[in-house]
Structure formats: C-alpha cells, structure tokens
Amino acid sequence: MAEISAGKARSIIRKAFAKGDEMGFKPLSVVVLDAGGHVKAFERADGAAPGRFAIANGKAYGAIMLGMAGTAQMARAEQQAYFMAAANGVFGGNVVPVPGGVLVRDKRDNVIGAVGVTGDTSDNDLIAAMAGIEAVGLTGEG
C-alpha cells in the first residue's frame, strides 16, 4: 500500500503555510496523517494557539476514520446530527467535522492519508490544505 512519506508530509505543511502567508491567513497549524490515522508530521506556526494540534488532528482523523472529508462531515452533521455525535463518541470525541480535514489520494485514487489545517476560517483552512497537497503532486478531497 502506498503511503505519504515523511518528506512529502513536511512539504505539504510548508506549502500549506506558504499559501496561508500568501493569502494573509491567521497563523496555521497543519497535521499530516497516514492511512491508519497516525501522525506523519505536524507543525504549529509562530503565533498559533497551543491547542491547535487537537483541532487539526481532529479534522484529519475524522476524514480518515470516516472516509469522508471535512466538508462532507459537516453536511452530514447538519442533516444527521445524531450520526455524527455517535461517530464522534465511537472515536473518543476526536472528530472535528468541519472543512479543513482533507483526504489525500495518490495517482491511483487510493486514500493514503489526510491533512488537517486549523487557525483561520474553516474555508481558508481548506484552501491551505489543498494547496499543500496539490504542491506535492497528490489529490485532495476536501
């Protein structure tokens, strides 16, 4: 099974930060998870709140564990709040069902991980995540 290398994970983070800087976003925190939901890399920009790891991780973790990007999770939560509440309970409250949690696919369309970005609006977090993923030649599903 293909996976995100540590080098690509770090590149995704750098490119997401660069996109945030370019667009004037608030300080971001970015996590990259492998297909099993384990952290490959994480970085919190200077000035980002210290609790941002849990939020970034929750966005990415929800995407991996549910096989559903953050935008789709939010829509599901709005339509079936009981389902997302139950799913979040199953995963120990570690799912943050909002944009900024992005599934990462390889060239064969296999899910090989997820990226979670937090620090600005959820929509801007998603923009930064997608920029980081696309910069390393992978495909994001946000």
Side-chain angles (χ1 to χ4, degrees), residues 18-90:
K19 185 65 168 182
D21 290 344
E22 169 193 325
M23 296 190 70
F25 295 169
K26 294 177 183 171
L28 300 177
S29 294
V30 183
V31 69
V32 179
L33 305 182
D34 66 16
H38 304 284
V39 176
K40 288 296 283 193
F42 169 75
E43 191 168 337
R44 181 173 60 90
D46 293 340
R52 290 293 179 170
F53 170 78
I55 297 169
N57 192 61
K59 288 180 176 189
Y61 188 76
I64 283 291
M65 291 299 129
L66 295 171
M68 182 186 311
T71 302
Q73 289 176 56
M74 188 168 89
R76 184 82 182 261
E78 290 169 347
Q79 295 167 359
Q80 296 178 309
Y82 61 89
F83 171 79
M84 287 306 296
N88 208 356
V90 168

Side-chain angles (χ1 to χ4, degrees), residues 17 22 26 30 35 37 44-47 51 71-72 74 94 96 100-101 105 108 110-111 122 131-132 135 139:
F17 281 168
E22 169 193 325
K26 294 177 183 171
V30 183
R44 181 173 60 90
D46 293 340
T71 302
M74 188 168 89
N94 293 319
V96 179
R105 296 182 181 275
R108 294 185 176 169
N110 297 310
V111 172
S122 292
T139 302

Side-chain angles (χ1 to χ4, degrees), residues 12 15 104 126-141:
I12 289 169
K15 298 297 186 176
V104 179
L126 175 58
I127 289 167
M130 294 296 285
I133 293 163
E134 291 169 1
V136 299
L138 297 170
T139 302
E141 179 185 329

Side-chain angles (χ1 to χ4, degrees), residues 101-126:
V102 181
L103 289 169
V104 179
R105 296 182 181 275
D106 66 12
K107 291 184 189 324
R108 294 185 176 169
D109 206 35
N110 297 310
V111 172
I112 59 170
V115 172
V117 177
T118 185
D120 204 279
T121 67
S122 292
D123 290 338
N124 286 346
D125 295 342
L126 175 58

